[in-house]
Amino acid sequence: CRALFCVTPGTHRMAALHRLRMQYMSGNAIAHLYTSTRAFAKCHYKMLVLGGGSGGIAMSARMKRMLGAENVAVVEPSEMHYYQPLWTLVGAGAKSAASAGRSTASVMPSGVKWVKSKVQEINPDVNTVLTVDGTKISYEYLIVALGLQLHFERIKGLPEGFEHPKIGSNYSVQTVEKTKRALQDFKEGNAVFTFPNTPVKCAGAPQKIMYLSEDFFRKTGKRAKANVIYNTSLPVLFGIKKYADSLWEIVKSRDIQVNLRQNLIEVRPENQEAVFENLDNPSEIKVIEYEMLHVTPPMGPNLVVKASLLADESGWLDLNKETLQHMNYPNVFGIGDCTNLPTSKTAAAVAAQSAVLNRTIKKILKNEMPDKKYDGYTSCPLVTSYNTVMLAEFDYNGQPLETFPINQAKESRIMYHMKADIMPHLYWHGLLRGLWGGPEPFRKILHLGMK
Ligand code: FAD
Ligand code: UQ1
């Protein structure tokens, strides 16, 4: 073929077929032979998608429409697909963990080949991918959607510290319900929330759980006995000034302590202590005793991307910022958290990117120049309580790019309803089916006649 049969170590399938043919010439044997042949996985695809998360499933649905299901394969090891944005509300006890997950089988577009394995190596010079079980898959076009890597292990005392109570993290399926438990068990003392010294996905999520927890303490009569502390590595509360200004008003009015440039380096769960370094003065170490600790782990590039020729010098997938085509390999494309697109890593960004990438690939297949440009659109519904959200939306330039003709820096009950009840449907039935490419068309209609 470029590969008619998968090349699996230890088996030479053509030789095996020949031996079978010689050994058994009965009708049964021949029937068996053809059944076996059909059972061999095809391992060349016109469009190969790496990763079956938000970006991978959205793009495989779109590629199925463009090329036909038989030409598309997705490599994804996980049996479950998670709607991660809901984990904020799961950690706060407002949604069940079960409602954030569905089987990968149920979100995989029908007819598209699901290769249930992990990518080990990408070899773009020869258009092949190697999986951990030794299967080589060749492709004509490749979409990389492998997400990013969490690094709990970079904090001393973690991940084993999660075996103790009073500590949780909304950032993984294994730890999100530990947040809920720590919140519900809270009696009195410090509730500490962290933001690491790396890029993260959904940069608002580390503080959303802090606002929700503060609201929870008020609702349960514990607020007077709680010190709510947000220790962030960043020099700002939020990267976009318009929303940061409003958030500062909220933390002041709700008596939340914000400490900038504080980076969590160690957790001592037996003593309930969290250790922080001051990034502006690394010799200054602070130990805070906690009654509840929410950890946002350090994050980094996907390790397979980082080890490949597709990575930039920092390890992220090196893409053209407007077309999402790879900078050096024109038959390679990318989407989502694994990329070096200089915007905030969110599912909302994935939605907008999926529409642009669809258009780029359509043009490339026709030997034409890509014409639709990604403007960096991303969004972060900043949950500020159990019934309010401030919907931040912005572009590559850090300029607000708001969908609704209202001031979105104000907390809103309708936006909470959108986040908690509408957005999940938009995700499962819109984005993952390749039908939701972000709110741009609505923004244009809603802003008709406005400057
Ligand atoms: P993912 O969805 O993470 O998918 C990556 C996939 O690649 C995974 O399925 C993984 O199993 C697979 N994979 C990894 N390595 C390999 C390998 N070697 N071989 C094969 N497959 C592999 N976004 C919003 O828009 N709004 C929000 O409110 C929001 N809140 C969030 C809150 C939290 C707590 C978290 C954790 C995230 C939040 N996000 C939010 C971010 C959003 O979930 C991600 O940005 C989005 O899921 C990125 O999609 P992706 O396809 O790039 O990566
Ligand atoms: C969005 O498109 C999206 O992807 C499905 C999200 O991820 C869950 C979001 O959080 C947001 C806010 C958007 C943007 C959508 C609208 C209607 C503003």
Side-chain angles (χ1 to χ4, degrees), residues 50-57 75-78 80-88 117-120 145-150 170-172 201-202 205 208 299 302 304 335-338 345-350 378-381 383 419 423 427:
L50 306 185
S54 314
I57 295 294
V75 188
E76 167 61 58
S78 176
M80 288 297 289
H81 178 106
Y82 295 102
Y83 175 52
Q84 300 168 43
L86 211 63
W87 286 346
T88 293
S117 187
K118 216 171 161 182
V119 179
Q120 179 168 311
L146 289 169
L148 55 64
Q149 184 73 37
L150 301 179
N170 290 353
Y171 272 84
S172 84
K201 51 180 154 184
C202 196
K208 295 178 198 178
M299 300 176 209
N302 177 281
V304 173
I335 187 167
D337 294 354
C338 66
K345 296 178 187 301
T346 65
V350 165
T378 189
S379 170
C380 186
V383 185
K419 157 86 188 165
M423 216 39 85
Y427 182 83

Side-chain angles (χ1 to χ4, degrees), residues 190-395:
N190 294 329
V192 182
F193 302 83
T194 74
F195 189 113
N197 190 24
T198 63
V200 298
K201 51 180 154 184
C202 196
Q207 63 184 294
K208 295 178 198 178
I209 186 61
M210 181 260 295
Y211 298 120
L212 284 159
S213 301
E214 196 271 344
D215 194 20
F216 182 85
F217 300 146
R218 267 189 285 151
K219 285 191 163 68
T220 50
K222 295 172 189 163
R223 183 62 183 96
K225 291 182 171 180
N227 298 316
V228 181
I229 302 170
Y230 185 59
N231 271 12
T232 172
S233 294
L234 297 177
V236 291
L237 185 49
F238 193 72
I240 310 300
K241 188 175 179 309
K242 172 172 177 168
Y243 307 110
D245 288 348
S246 296
L247 293 169
W248 276 115
E249 292 302 318
I250 293 171
V251 295
K252 272 185 220 147
S253 70
R254 286 165 63 176
D255 194 23
I256 293 168
Q257 204 188 109
V258 177
N259 301 310
L260 304 176
R261 305 293 284 152
Q262 295 294 315
N263 182 34
L264 179 71
I265 52 172
E266 183 180 351
V267 176
R268 300 171 186 156
E270 310 80 19
N271 308 333
Q272 291 172 221
E273 288 174 347
V275 184
F276 294 87
E277 65 173 349
N278 179 344
L279 292 168
D280 291 331
N281 180 9
S283 61
E284 188 187 305
I285 301 292
K286 279 204 179 114
V287 180
I288 303 184
E289 208 176 300
Y290 62 82
E291 166 70 2
M292 169 185 179
L293 176 65
H294 179 269
V295 177
T296 298
M299 300 176 209
N302 177 281
L303 300 177
V304 173
V305 172
K306 191 177 177 183
S308 77
L309 293 165
L310 298 175
D312 69 7
E313 62 287 350
S314 305
W316 302 96
L317 188 76
D318 197 11
L319 293 189
N320 177 304
K321 311 293 168 268
E322 292 180 333
T323 64
L324 315 188
Q325 187 175 27
H326 194 270
M327 291 300 280
N328 303 319
Y329 295 92
N331 63 335
V332 177
F333 308 88
I335 187 167
D337 294 354
C338 66
T339 70
N340 68 352
L341 301 172
T343 193
S344 184
K345 296 178 187 301
T346 65
V350 165
Q353 290 163 17
S354 70
V356 174
L357 185 51
N358 193 65
R359 177 81 181 174
T360 292
I361 293 174
K362 200 170 174 182
K363 287 283 176 181
I364 296 286
L365 290 173
K366 289 200 253 175
N367 266 326
E368 291 172 11
M369 288 296 284
D371 56 356
K372 195 168 162 63
K373 293 179 178 172
Y374 178 49
D375 56 9
Y377 173 83
T378 189
S379 170
C380 186
L382 292 152
V383 185
T384 52
S385 75
Y386 283 86
N387 55 10
T388 52
V389 156
M390 182 190 296
L391 182 63
E393 293 179 283
F394 47 96
D395 63 13

Side-chain angles (χ1 to χ4, degrees), residues 51-177:
S54 314
I57 295 294
M59 286 315 297
S60 62
R62 287 175 181 268
M63 292 302 101
K64 173 183 167 179
R65 273 208 301 280
M66 196 182 288
L67 302 168
E70 69 283 6
N71 290 310
V72 183
V74 182
V75 188
E76 167 61 58
S78 176
E79 286 283 350
M80 288 297 289
H81 178 106
Y82 295 102
Y83 175 52
Q84 300 168 43
L86 211 63
W87 286 346
T88 293
L89 300 181
V90 174
K95 292 276 178 183
S96 72
S99 63
R102 294 190 182 181
S103 70
T104 297
S106 72
V107 297
M108 194 62 67
S110 62
V112 162
K113 171 72 184 172
W114 172 18
V115 180
K116 200 188 294 180
S117 187
K118 216 171 161 182
V119 179
Q120 179 168 311
E121 209 177 277
I122 310 169
N123 298 302
D125 284 333
V126 288
N127 297 331
T128 63
V129 161
L130 186 68
T131 65
V132 286
D133 49 21
T135 305
K136 193 185 269 183
I137 310 171
S138 60
Y139 61 81
E140 207 169 317
Y141 298 95
L142 183 72
I143 298 176
V144 185
L146 289 169
L148 55 64
Q149 184 73 37
L150 301 179
H151 288 292
F152 283 113
E153 80 289 350
R154 288 194 191 156
I155 296 166
K156 196 173 169 198
L158 295 183
E160 62 281 7
F162 285 113
E163 284 157 25
H164 293 253
K166 303 191 183 289
I167 167 170
S169 175
N170 290 353
Y171 272 84
S172 84
V173 69
Q174 293 85 8
T175 55
V176 60
E177 289 188 288

